[in-house]
Amino acid sequence: MGVNEILVLLILFGANLLQAITGFAGTLISMPPTMKLIGVDEAKALLNAIAQISSLMIVITGFRHINWKEFFKMFVLMAAGMVVGMKIFEVFPMQQLLTFYGIMIIVIALDKLFVKKQFRLPAVLMLFVIFAAGIIHGMFVSGGALLVIYAAGALKDKEEFRATIALIWLTIGCYITGIQFQAGHFNSHVWFLLIAGIIPVFAGTWIGTKLVKKLPQEIFMKMTYILLLLSGVMAIV
């Protein structure tokens, strides 16, 4: 196991610890550095599979908190957006997409860190935000930040938020995994990292689940947004 692989496993631990606490941002934070370490296609395949594993753990422990009405609304719109996002990924040059992706992450992180007053968008625009989250997820398996813009208003309870969002990643991730498997992105290197990553993923998710019940979530949210900012910068440079 080389240095890059060790770094990837450490990233998986930290990202899934934050994912368990906040219900999102794990893949968004880990995608840029992982792409730099092992390449875009391998990173997308690995992190999507990892997201399904960690999401399954959250869904199992929080199944009773799932808001089924909101789940189906988000699922349909995100699935439609994903189809568009996959087509965009095939057509546009990778460096342009990475720059756009990094700028999007930076803007979201700065907004969450420094803009205290949150504006409520009209209902129609909120539905478009879900669709846009699907587009980003289709391109980079990282549509969580946009989806949270909608979910933060629709899902008031913390446990409801985490469980419902986790079920979204679990279900739409199955479709993406199928596409990636057919495209041959699950090579021996990805399988090795996926198997080796099980322990840090479980450890990060378990610790995060314990911490979210004991410590103020505001502290962890601020840490998440700072890491999000650094992650966006890494996508550009």
Side-chain angles (χ1 to χ4, degrees), residues 59 62-69 71 159-160 163-164 167:
V59 168
F63 189 81
R64 67 185 183 278
H65 297 292
I66 294 172
N67 185 321
W68 290 100
K69 179 182 177 181
F71 164 75
E159 294 295 337
E160 180 185 59
T164 306
L167 185 59

Side-chain angles (χ1 to χ4, degrees), residues 16-219:
N16 282 278
L17 187 149
L18 290 170
Q19 178 83 20
I21 293 168
T22 64
F24 84 106
T27 306
L28 203 60
I29 288 170
S30 57
M31 183 62 78
T34 305
M35 286 192 297
K36 297 288 186 181
L37 290 169
I38 63 174
V40 175
D41 289 334
E42 287 193 10
K44 289 175 63 178
L46 173 66
L47 294 180
N48 181 60
I50 290 294
Q52 288 177 267
I53 294 171
S54 60
S55 295
L56 178 60
M57 293 174 65
I58 296 173
V59 168
I60 290 173
T61 56
F63 189 81
R64 67 185 183 278
H65 297 292
I66 294 172
N67 185 321
W68 290 100
K69 179 182 177 181
E70 292 296 337
F71 164 75
F72 285 114
K73 182 192 298 183
M74 290 186 287
F75 175 81
V76 170
L77 288 170
M78 279 205 67
M82 278 168 48
V83 175
V84 176
M86 289 178 179
K87 294 297 181 183
I88 293 174
F89 186 82
E90 294 173 359
V91 173
F92 282 85
M94 177 55 59
Q95 191 54 51
Q96 291 183 13
L97 290 176
L98 283 174
T99 301
F100 164 77
Y101 179 61
I103 292 172
M104 181 198 75
I105 294 174
I106 291 171
V107 169
I108 291 171
L110 290 174
D111 174 73
K112 296 295 184 182
L113 280 169
F114 299 111
V115 179
K116 302 303 181 184
K117 185 177 181 180
Q118 298 297 318
F119 298 97
R120 180 68 180 175
L121 295 174
V124 174
L125 288 180
M126 291 300 285
L127 295 179
F128 178 76
V129 167
I130 305 174
F131 180 75
I135 293 176
I136 298 299
H137 208 72
M139 289 193 291
F140 291 108
V141 202
S142 307
L146 287 180
L147 185 63
V148 165
I149 295 174
Y150 171 81
L155 304 169
K156 300 296 185 181
D157 179 73
K158 181 171 63 177
E159 294 295 337
E160 180 185 59
F161 180 94
R162 292 174 68 249
T164 306
I165 294 296
L167 185 59
I168 287 287
W169 305 141
L170 178 62
T171 50
I172 65 176
C174 291
Y175 173 74
I176 295 177
T177 295
I179 297 295
Q180 292 170 334
F181 192 82
Q182 288 182 333
H185 296 164
F186 277 88
N187 55 33
S188 58
H189 191 219
V190 172
W191 279 112
F192 168 77
L193 288 172
L194 181 58
I195 294 171
I198 295 295
I199 293 176
V201 167
F202 271 70
T205 303
W206 184 80
I207 294 172
T209 301
K210 295 293 183 182
L211 287 175
V212 76
K213 297 177 180 178
K214 296 182 178 180
L215 297 175
Q217 190 175 6
E218 291 78 11
I219 296 174

